[in-house]
Amino acid sequence: MDMKLPENSTFDIFVVGGGVNGCGIARDAAGRGLSVFLCERGDLAQATSSASTKLFHGGLRYLEHFEFRLVREALKERETLLRCMPHISWPMRFVLPVDPDLVVLNDNSKLSRAISAFSPFLRGRRPPWLLRSGLFLYDNLGGRRMLPGTRALNLHRHASGVPLKRKFRKAFEYSDCWVQDSRLVVLNACDAAAKGAFIRTRTNLVNAKRFDGRWRVHVNDLATGTEYAVQAGCLINAAGPWADEVLRNRLQRSDARNLRLVRGSHIVVRKLFDHDQPYIFQQPDGRIVFAIPFEGDFCLIGTTDVDHDGNLTQISCTSSEQNYLLNAIDRYLDRPVKPSDVVWSYAGVRPLLNDSESDPASASRDYTLTIDDENGLAPLLNVFGGKITTYRRLAESALETLAPYFPQMSGPWTAQSPLPGGDFEIDDFDRLAKDLVEIYAFLSEAWAQRLVRAYGTLAFRVYGNAQSLDDIGEYFGSDLYEREVEWLVDNEWARSADDVIWRRSKLGLKLSAAQKTALNDGMKRMLTKRQVPIFGNQKPD
């Protein structure tokens, strides 16, 4: 997967950041015929892009802030992305219970202010008719074609009502989509590399300066300690929460945007209900919390919105955030969820635009692109803000902005092109899993489904000509064998056990401590055999 740099080492575009925006831009640019170099100082999707609620959604609550353009773009993208990545994304029917004791609207929202001006009686209220009106707009704003629309539910007669307290009788059911966020990033990087891009993980940007109409960029390979320089016609700052730090400390510029860093935390507990529908629960503070079936045996609960002022390399779910999420769930579920039920937690920092909103939940999830050059040469493009659902459109907008500097590049293409392994119809998932079992008789149905969810049609290449378990090497636990890990090392830049079990998959939820140690040792042997420097599990500074 890691190609040798050409002697000239000159590229059209240098991208800083291996999150969803950086990898999306690298893929789009490489597909337009531009030469691309991308550096990421950790693993792909190691930060914000693997710490989302893992949804492709328009953002129902953003309607309360009148962000119609953002919601419309996200809703249109939702179906575009479903077609392009049916292996790692799929539709879900969300259940929104109507709380008879609490119909609260965030007082900081523009909608709340408008309603209050019209009728003081409705201030802070989110009555059922208002919810239904918002869902009607949500159904139609993006030109929905593939997904079913909203309908009302009687929770006392529907499976989704069984885990809830009896006071909840009415609910609305609407469509949104799940996405495996970190795999989305990796597959964008894989496609970029297949189209000629150089992707370098564990590679830190040291500095970059304009020189003779180009950028001269110094980077440091953190695995070997080797520092080297490349040249590029354009520099793209897609470092997410570190975008301001890149501007100030790596480029020595004073035009940092002072991004608002908002921490979103999630907890994972054992399975809370037997059906496969997620919930969206309204809270007394006007926020919402999701409870989503996760990895078969678990439930994902999130998210919080808290201003983050601490170290960006030490981000975690705090005890107060965990308690907030547990209390949010307990308001609705008949069975209480205790702190001891939490099996995993994670947190990420969203780099939001500083729009002077007092409430972090009200800050815009929209994105902004800024660009400047030196006498028409060596442009610097900065990416600020954004959300995972609109990453492809953001990348397209970035390339449209750069078009005057690269007249030779071709036009948009990603809307019609599936990600690696996604070249099948949405309805063909079960058939693919069945075909996989027929070819590899040692696979169980659940194992085959996990492989198709991760690799799509590429799942048939992971095990190659294997005919039995003996052919796929050492067993690391939970249907993870040496042959699959080798695929991830050779094709997806996996360099540590954490890369495999937390970003290329979520098998970390199912492996024991001893199995994780065995996997780490096994990967060291693989990397040594391939003469790949061992970076280990440590996180870069």
Coordinates of all heavy atoms in Angstrom, one line a residue, residues 460-529:
F460 N -14.2 -11.1 -0.7 CA -13.8 -12.3 -1.4 C -12.3 -12.4 -1.7 O -11.7 -13.4 -2.0 CB -14.5 -12.4 -2.8 CG -16.0 -12.6 -2.6 CD1 -16.8 -11.4 -2.6 CD2 -16.6 -13.8 -2.5 CE1 -18.2 -11.6 -2.4 CE2 -18.0 -14.0 -2.3 CZ -18.8 -12.8 -2.3
R461 N -11.6 -11.3 -1.5 CA -10.1 -11.2 -1.7 C -9.4 -11.4 -0.3 O -8.2 -11.7 -0.4 CB -9.7 -9.9 -2.4 CG -10.3 -9.9 -3.8 CD -10.0 -8.5 -4.4 NE -8.6 -8.1 -4.4 CZ -8.1 -6.9 -4.7 NH1 -8.9 -6.0 -5.2 NH2 -6.8 -6.7 -4.6
V462 N -10.1 -11.1 0.8 CA -9.4 -11.1 2.0 C -8.8 -12.5 2.3 O -7.6 -12.6 2.8 CB -10.3 -10.7 3.2 CG1 -9.7 -10.9 4.5 CG2 -10.8 -9.2 3.0
Y463 N -9.6 -13.6 2.1 CA -9.1 -14.9 2.4 C -8.5 -15.6 1.2 O -8.1 -16.8 1.3 CB -10.2 -15.7 3.0 CG -10.6 -15.3 4.4 CD1 -11.9 -15.4 4.9 CD2 -9.6 -14.8 5.3 CE1 -12.2 -15.0 6.1 CE2 -9.9 -14.4 6.6 CZ -11.2 -14.5 7.0 OH -11.5 -14.1 8.3
G464 N -8.6 -15.0 0.0 CA -7.9 -15.6 -1.2 C -8.4 -17.0 -1.5 O -9.6 -17.3 -1.5
N465 N -7.4 -17.9 -1.6 CA -7.7 -19.3 -1.9 C -7.8 -20.2 -0.7 O -7.7 -21.4 -0.8 CB -6.7 -19.8 -2.9 CG -5.3 -19.8 -2.3 OD1 -5.1 -19.3 -1.1 ND2 -4.3 -20.2 -3.1
A466 N -8.1 -19.6 0.5 CA -8.2 -20.5 1.7 C -9.3 -21.4 1.6 O -10.4 -21.1 1.1 CB -8.4 -19.5 2.9
Q467 N -9.1 -22.6 2.1 CA -10.1 -23.7 2.1 C -10.5 -24.2 3.4 O -11.6 -24.8 3.6 CB -9.7 -24.9 1.2 CG -9.4 -24.5 -0.2 CD -9.0 -25.7 -1.1 OE1 -8.7 -26.8 -0.5 NE2 -8.9 -25.5 -2.4
S468 N -9.8 -23.8 4.5 CA -10.1 -24.2 5.8 C -9.5 -23.2 6.8 O -8.7 -22.3 6.4 CB -9.5 -25.6 6.1 OG -8.1 -25.6 6.2
L469 N -9.9 -23.4 8.1 CA -9.3 -22.5 9.1 C -7.8 -22.6 9.2 O -7.1 -21.6 9.5 CB -9.9 -22.9 10.5 CG -11.4 -22.5 10.6 CD1 -11.9 -23.0 12.0 CD2 -11.7 -21.1 10.5
D470 N -7.3 -23.8 8.9 CA -5.8 -23.9 8.9 C -5.1 -23.0 7.9 O -3.9 -22.7 8.1 CB -5.4 -25.4 8.6 CG -5.9 -26.3 9.7 OD1 -6.0 -25.9 10.8 OD2 -6.1 -27.5 9.4
D471 N -5.8 -22.6 6.9 CA -5.2 -21.8 5.8 C -5.2 -20.3 6.1 O -4.7 -19.5 5.4 CB -6.0 -22.0 4.5 CG -5.9 -23.4 4.0 OD1 -4.8 -24.0 4.2 OD2 -6.8 -23.8 3.3
I472 N -5.9 -19.9 7.2 CA -6.0 -18.4 7.5 C -5.2 -18.0 8.7 O -5.4 -16.9 9.2 CB -7.5 -17.9 7.6 CG1 -8.3 -18.7 8.6 CG2 -8.2 -18.1 6.2 CD1 -9.7 -18.1 8.8
G473 N -4.4 -18.9 9.2 CA -3.4 -18.5 10.2 C -3.9 -18.4 11.7 O -4.9 -19.0 12.0
E474 N -3.1 -17.7 12.5 CA -3.4 -17.6 13.9 C -4.7 -17.0 14.2 O -5.2 -16.0 13.6 CB -2.3 -16.8 14.5 CG -2.3 -16.7 16.1 CD -1.2 -15.8 16.6 OE1 -0.3 -15.4 15.9 OE2 -1.2 -15.6 17.9
Y475 N -5.4 -17.5 15.3 CA -6.7 -17.0 15.7 C -6.5 -16.0 16.8 O -5.8 -16.3 17.8 CB -7.5 -18.2 16.2 CG -8.9 -17.8 16.8 CD1 -9.8 -17.1 16.0 CD2 -9.2 -18.1 18.1 CE1 -11.0 -16.8 16.5 CE2 -10.4 -17.8 18.6 CZ -11.3 -17.1 17.8 OH -12.5 -16.7 18.4
F476 N -7.1 -14.8 16.7 CA -6.9 -13.8 17.7 C -8.2 -13.6 18.5 O -8.2 -12.8 19.4 CB -6.5 -12.5 17.0 CG -5.2 -12.5 16.4 CD1 -5.1 -12.4 15.0 CD2 -4.0 -12.7 17.1 CE1 -3.8 -12.5 14.4 CE2 -2.8 -12.8 16.5 CZ -2.7 -12.7 15.1
G477 N -9.3 -14.3 18.2 CA -10.5 -14.1 18.9 C -11.6 -13.5 18.1 O -11.3 -12.7 17.1
S478 N -12.9 -13.8 18.4 CA -14.0 -13.2 17.7 C -13.9 -13.2 16.2 O -14.2 -12.2 15.5 CB -14.2 -11.8 18.2 OG -15.5 -11.3 17.9
D479 N -13.6 -14.4 15.6 CA -13.5 -14.6 14.2 C -12.5 -13.7 13.5 O -12.5 -13.5 12.3 CB -14.9 -14.3 13.5 CG -15.9 -15.3 13.9 OD1 -15.6 -16.5 14.3 OD2 -17.1 -15.0 14.0
L480 N -11.5 -13.2 14.2 CA -10.4 -12.5 13.7 C -9.2 -13.4 13.5 O -8.7 -13.9 14.6 CB -10.1 -11.3 14.5 CG -8.9 -10.4 14.0 CD1 -9.3 -9.7 12.7 CD2 -8.5 -9.3 15.0
Y481 N -8.7 -13.6 12.3 CA -7.6 -14.5 12.0 C -6.5 -13.7 11.4 O -6.6 -12.6 10.9 CB -8.0 -15.7 11.2 CG -8.8 -16.7 11.9 CD1 -10.1 -16.6 12.2 CD2 -8.2 -17.9 12.3 CE1 -10.9 -17.6 12.8 CE2 -8.9 -18.9 12.9 CZ -10.2 -18.7 13.2 OH -10.9 -19.7 13.9
E482 N -5.3 -14.4 11.4 CA -4.1 -13.7 10.8 C -4.3 -13.2 9.4 O -3.8 -12.1 9.1 CB -3.0 -14.8 10.9 CG -1.6 -14.2 10.5 CD -0.5 -15.3 10.6 OE1 -0.8 -16.4 11.1 OE2 0.6 -15.0 10.3
R483 N -4.9 -14.0 8.6 CA -5.1 -13.6 7.2 C -5.8 -12.2 7.0 O -5.4 -11.4 6.2 CB -5.8 -14.7 6.4 CG -6.0 -14.4 4.9 CD -4.7 -14.6 4.1 NE -4.3 -16.0 4.1 CZ -4.7 -16.9 3.1 NH1 -5.5 -16.5 2.2 NH2 -4.3 -18.1 3.2
E484 N -6.8 -12.0 7.8 CA -7.5 -10.7 7.7 C -6.6 -9.6 8.2 O -6.6 -8.5 7.7 CB -8.8 -10.8 8.6 CG -9.6 -9.5 8.5 CD -10.9 -9.5 9.2 OE1 -11.3 -10.6 9.8 OE2 -11.6 -8.5 9.3
V485 N -5.9 -9.8 9.3 CA -5.0 -8.8 9.9 C -3.9 -8.5 8.8 O -3.6 -7.3 8.6 CB -4.4 -9.3 11.2 CG1 -3.4 -8.2 11.7 CG2 -5.5 -9.5 12.2
E486 N -3.4 -9.5 8.1 CA -2.4 -9.2 7.1 C -3.0 -8.3 6.0 O -2.3 -7.5 5.4 CB -2.0 -10.6 6.5 CG -1.1 -11.4 7.4 CD -0.7 -12.7 6.8 OE1 -1.4 -13.2 6.0 OE2 0.4 -13.2 7.1
W487 N -4.3 -8.6 5.6 CA -5.0 -7.7 4.6 C -5.0 -6.3 5.1 O -4.7 -5.4 4.3 CB -6.4 -8.2 4.4 CG -7.2 -7.3 3.6 CD1 -7.9 -6.2 4.0 CD2 -7.3 -7.3 2.1 NE1 -8.5 -5.6 2.9 CE2 -8.2 -6.2 1.8 CE3 -6.8 -8.2 1.1 CZ2 -8.5 -6.0 0.4 CZ3 -7.2 -7.9 -0.2 CH2 -8.0 -6.8 -0.5
L488 N -5.3 -6.1 6.4 CA -5.3 -4.7 6.9 C -4.0 -4.1 7.0 O -3.8 -2.8 6.7 CB -6.0 -4.7 8.3 CG -7.4 -5.2 8.4 CD1 -7.9 -5.3 9.8 CD2 -8.3 -4.2 7.6
V489 N -3.0 -4.8 7.2 CA -1.6 -4.3 7.2 C -1.1 -3.9 5.8 O -0.6 -2.9 5.6 CB -0.6 -5.3 7.9 CG1 0.8 -4.9 7.6 CG2 -0.9 -5.4 9.4
D490 N -1.4 -4.8 4.9 CA -0.9 -4.6 3.5 C -1.8 -3.6 2.7 O -1.3 -3.0 1.8 CB -0.9 -6.0 2.8 CG 0.1 -7.0 3.3 OD1 1.0 -6.5 4.0 OD2 -0.1 -8.2 3.1
N491 N -3.0 -3.5 3.0 CA -3.9 -2.7 2.2 C -4.6 -1.5 2.9 O -5.1 -0.6 2.2 CB -5.1 -3.6 1.7 CG -4.5 -4.7 0.8 OD1 -4.3 -4.5 -0.4 ND2 -4.4 -5.9 1.3
E492 N -4.5 -1.4 4.2 CA -5.3 -0.4 4.9 C -4.5 0.4 6.0 O -5.0 1.0 6.9 CB -6.6 -0.9 5.5 CG -7.6 -1.5 4.5 CD -8.9 -1.8 5.1 OE1 -9.1 -1.4 6.3 OE2 -9.8 -2.3 4.4
W493 N -3.1 0.3 5.9 CA -2.2 1.1 6.8 C -2.4 0.7 8.3 O -2.0 1.5 9.1 CB -2.4 2.6 6.6 CG -2.2 3.1 5.2 CD1 -1.0 3.4 4.7 CD2 -3.1 3.3 4.2 NE1 -1.1 3.8 3.4 CE2 -2.4 3.8 3.1 CE3 -4.5 3.1 4.1 CZ2 -3.0 4.1 1.9 CZ3 -5.1 3.4 2.9 CH2 -4.4 3.9 1.8
A494 N -2.9 -0.4 8.6 CA -3.0 -0.8 10.0 C -1.6 -1.1 10.5 O -0.8 -1.9 9.9 CB -3.8 -2.1 10.2
R495 N -1.2 -0.5 11.6 CA 0.2 -0.7 12.2 C 0.2 -1.0 13.6 O 1.2 -1.2 14.2 CB 0.9 0.6 12.0 CG 1.2 1.0 10.5 CD 2.1 0.0 9.9 NE 2.4 0.4 8.5 CZ 1.8 -0.2 7.4 NH1 0.8 -1.0 7.6 NH2 2.1 0.1 6.2
S496 N -1.0 -1.1 14.3 CA -1.1 -1.5 15.7 C -2.4 -2.2 15.9 O -3.3 -2.2 15.1 CB -1.0 -0.3 16.6 OG -2.2 0.5 16.5
A497 N -2.4 -2.9 17.1 CA -3.6 -3.6 17.4 C -4.8 -2.7 17.5 O -5.9 -3.0 17.1 CB -3.4 -4.3 18.8
D498 N -4.6 -1.5 18.0 CA -5.7 -0.5 18.1 C -6.2 -0.1 16.8 O -7.4 0.1 16.6 CB -5.2 0.8 18.9 CG -5.3 0.6 20.4 OD1 -5.7 -0.5 20.9 OD2 -4.8 1.5 21.1
D499 N -5.4 0.0 15.8 CA -5.8 0.3 14.4 C -6.8 -0.8 13.9 O -7.8 -0.4 13.3 CB -4.6 0.3 13.4 CG -3.6 1.4 13.7 OD1 -3.9 2.2 14.6 OD2 -2.6 1.4 13.1
V500 N -6.5 -2.0 14.3 CA -7.4 -3.1 13.8 C -8.7 -3.2 14.6 O -9.8 -3.3 14.0 CB -6.6 -4.4 13.9 CG1 -7.5 -5.6 13.6 CG2 -5.4 -4.4 12.9
I501 N -8.6 -3.1 15.9 CA -9.8 -3.5 16.7 C -10.6 -2.3 17.1 O -11.8 -2.5 17.6 CB -9.4 -4.3 18.0 CG1 -8.5 -3.4 18.9 CG2 -8.7 -5.6 17.6 CD1 -8.2 -4.1 20.2
W502 N -10.2 -1.0 16.8 CA -11.0 0.1 17.2 C -11.3 1.0 16.0 O -12.3 1.7 16.0 CB -10.3 1.0 18.3 CG -10.3 0.3 19.6 CD1 -9.1 -0.1 20.3 CD2 -11.4 -0.2 20.4 NE1 -9.5 -0.7 21.4 CE2 -10.8 -0.8 21.5 CE3 -12.8 -0.2 20.2 CZ2 -11.6 -1.4 22.5 CZ3 -13.5 -0.7 21.2 CH2 -13.0 -1.3 22.3
R503 N -10.5 0.9 14.9 CA -10.8 1.8 13.7 C -11.1 1.0 12.5 O -12.1 1.3 11.8 CB -9.6 2.7 13.5 CG -9.6 3.8 14.6 CD -8.4 4.8 14.4 NE -7.1 4.2 14.8 CZ -6.7 4.1 16.0 NH1 -7.4 4.6 17.0 NH2 -5.5 3.6 16.3
R504 N -10.4 -0.1 12.2 CA -10.8 -0.9 11.0 C -12.0 -1.8 11.4 O -12.7 -2.3 10.5 CB -9.6 -1.8 10.6 CG -8.3 -1.1 10.3 CD -8.5 0.1 9.3 NE -7.2 0.7 9.0 CZ -6.6 1.6 9.7 NH1 -7.1 2.0 10.9 NH2 -5.5 2.2 9.3
S505 N -12.2 -2.0 12.7 CA -13.4 -2.7 13.2 C -13.7 -2.2 14.6 O -13.1 -1.3 15.1 CB -13.1 -4.2 13.2 OG -12.1 -4.5 14.3
K506 N -14.7 -2.9 15.2 CA -14.9 -2.6 16.6 C -14.8 -3.9 17.5 O -15.5 -4.1 18.5 CB -16.3 -2.0 16.8 CG -16.4 -0.6 16.3 CD -15.5 0.4 17.0 CE -15.6 1.8 16.5 NZ -14.9 2.0 15.3
L507 N -13.9 -4.8 17.0 CA -13.7 -6.0 17.7 C -13.1 -5.9 19.1 O -13.1 -6.8 19.9 CB -12.9 -7.0 16.8 CG -13.6 -7.5 15.5 CD1 -12.6 -8.3 14.7 CD2 -14.8 -8.3 15.9
G508 N -12.6 -4.7 19.4 CA -12.1 -4.4 20.7 C -13.1 -4.6 21.8 O -12.8 -4.8 23.0
L509 N -14.4 -4.5 21.4 CA -15.5 -4.7 22.4 C -15.6 -6.2 22.7 O -16.2 -6.5 23.8 CB -16.8 -4.3 21.8 CG -17.0 -2.8 21.6 CD1 -18.2 -2.5 20.8 CD2 -17.2 -2.1 23.0
K510 N -15.1 -7.1 21.9 CA -15.3 -8.5 22.1 C -14.0 -9.3 22.4 O -14.2 -10.5 22.9 CB -16.0 -9.1 20.8 CG -17.3 -8.4 20.5 CD -17.9 -9.0 19.3 CE -19.3 -8.3 19.0 NZ -20.0 -8.9 17.8
L511 N -12.9 -8.7 22.2 CA -11.6 -9.5 22.5 C -11.2 -9.3 24.0 O -11.4 -8.2 24.6 CB -10.5 -8.9 21.7 CG -10.6 -9.1 20.1 CD1 -9.3 -8.7 19.5 CD2 -11.0 -10.5 19.8
S512 N -10.7 -10.3 24.6 CA -10.2 -10.3 25.9 C -8.8 -9.5 26.0 O -8.2 -9.3 24.9 CB -10.0 -11.7 26.5 OG -9.0 -12.3 25.8
A513 N -8.4 -9.2 27.2 CA -7.1 -8.5 27.3 C -6.0 -9.4 26.7 O -5.0 -8.9 26.1 CB -6.8 -8.2 28.7
A514 N -6.0 -10.7 27.0 CA -5.0 -11.6 26.5 C -5.0 -11.7 25.0 O -4.0 -11.8 24.4 CB -5.2 -13.0 27.1
Q515 N -6.2 -11.7 24.4 CA -6.3 -11.8 23.0 C -5.8 -10.5 22.3 O -5.1 -10.5 21.3 CB -7.8 -12.0 22.5 CG -8.3 -13.4 22.9 CD -9.8 -13.5 22.6 OE1 -10.5 -12.6 22.8 NE2 -10.2 -14.7 22.3
K516 N -6.0 -9.3 22.9 CA -5.5 -8.1 22.4 C -3.9 -8.1 22.5 O -3.3 -7.6 21.5 CB -6.0 -6.9 23.2 CG -7.5 -6.7 23.0 CD -8.1 -5.6 23.9 CE -9.6 -5.5 23.8 NZ -10.1 -4.5 24.7
T517 N -3.4 -8.6 23.5 CA -1.9 -8.7 23.6 C -1.4 -9.7 22.6 O -0.4 -9.4 21.9 CB -1.5 -9.3 25.0 OG1 -2.0 -8.3 26.0 CG2 0.0 -9.4 25.2
A518 N -2.1 -10.8 22.4 CA -1.6 -11.7 21.3 C -1.7 -11.1 19.9 O -0.8 -11.3 19.1 CB -2.5 -13.0 21.3
L519 N -2.7 -10.3 19.7 CA -2.8 -9.6 18.4 C -1.7 -8.6 18.2 O -1.1 -8.5 17.2 CB -4.2 -8.9 18.3 CG -4.4 -7.9 17.1 CD1 -4.3 -8.7 15.8 CD2 -5.7 -7.2 17.2
N520 N -1.4 -7.8 19.3 CA -0.3 -6.8 19.2 C 1.0 -7.5 18.9 O 1.8 -7.1 18.1 CB -0.2 -6.1 20.5 CG 0.6 -4.8 20.4 OD1 0.3 -4.0 19.5 ND2 1.6 -4.7 21.3
D521 N 1.3 -8.7 19.6 CA 2.5 -9.4 19.3 C 2.5 -10.0 17.9 O 3.6 -9.9 17.2 CB 2.6 -10.6 20.3 CG 2.9 -10.1 21.8 OD1 3.3 -8.9 21.9 OD2 2.6 -10.8 22.7
G522 N 1.4 -10.5 17.4 CA 1.3 -11.0 16.1 C 1.5 -9.9 15.0 O 2.2 -10.2 14.0
M523 N 1.0 -8.7 15.3 CA 1.3 -7.6 14.3 C 2.7 -7.2 14.3 O 3.2 -6.8 13.2 CB 0.3 -6.4 14.7 CG -1.1 -6.7 14.4 SD -2.1 -5.2 14.4 CE -1.5 -4.4 13.0
K524 N 3.4 -7.2 15.4 CA 4.8 -6.9 15.4 C 5.6 -7.9 14.6 O 6.5 -7.5 13.8 CB 5.3 -6.9 16.9 CG 4.9 -5.7 17.7 CD 5.5 -5.8 19.1 CE 5.0 -4.6 20.0 NZ 5.5 -4.7 21.4
R525 N 5.2 -9.1 14.6 CA 5.9 -10.1 13.8 C 5.6 -9.9 12.3 O 6.5 -10.0 11.4 CB 5.4 -11.5 14.1 CG 5.9 -12.0 15.5 CD 5.7 -13.5 15.7 NE 4.3 -13.9 15.7 CZ 3.5 -13.9 16.7 NH1 3.9 -13.5 17.9 NH2 2.2 -14.2 16.6
M526 N 4.3 -9.5 12.0 CA 4.0 -9.2 10.6 C 4.8 -8.0 10.1 O 5.3 -8.0 9.0 CB 2.5 -8.9 10.5 CG 1.6 -10.0 10.7 SD -0.2 -9.5 10.5 CE -1.0 -10.8 11.5
L527 N 4.8 -7.0 10.9 CA 5.5 -5.8 10.4 C 7.0 -6.0 10.3 O 7.7 -5.5 9.3 CB 5.3 -4.6 11.4 CG 3.8 -4.2 11.5 CD1 3.7 -3.1 12.7 CD2 3.3 -3.6 10.2
T528 N 7.6 -6.8 11.2 CA 9.0 -7.1 11.1 C 9.3 -7.9 9.8 O 10.3 -7.7 9.1 CB 9.5 -7.9 12.3 OG1 9.3 -7.1 13.5 CG2 10.9 -8.3 12.2
K529 N 8.4 -8.9 9.5 CA 8.6 -9.7 8.3 C 8.5 -8.8 7.1 O 9.2 -9.1 6.1 CB 7.5 -10.7 8.3 CG 7.6 -11.7 7.1 CD 6.4 -12.7 7.2 CE 6.4 -13.6 6.0 NZ 5.3 -14.6 6.0

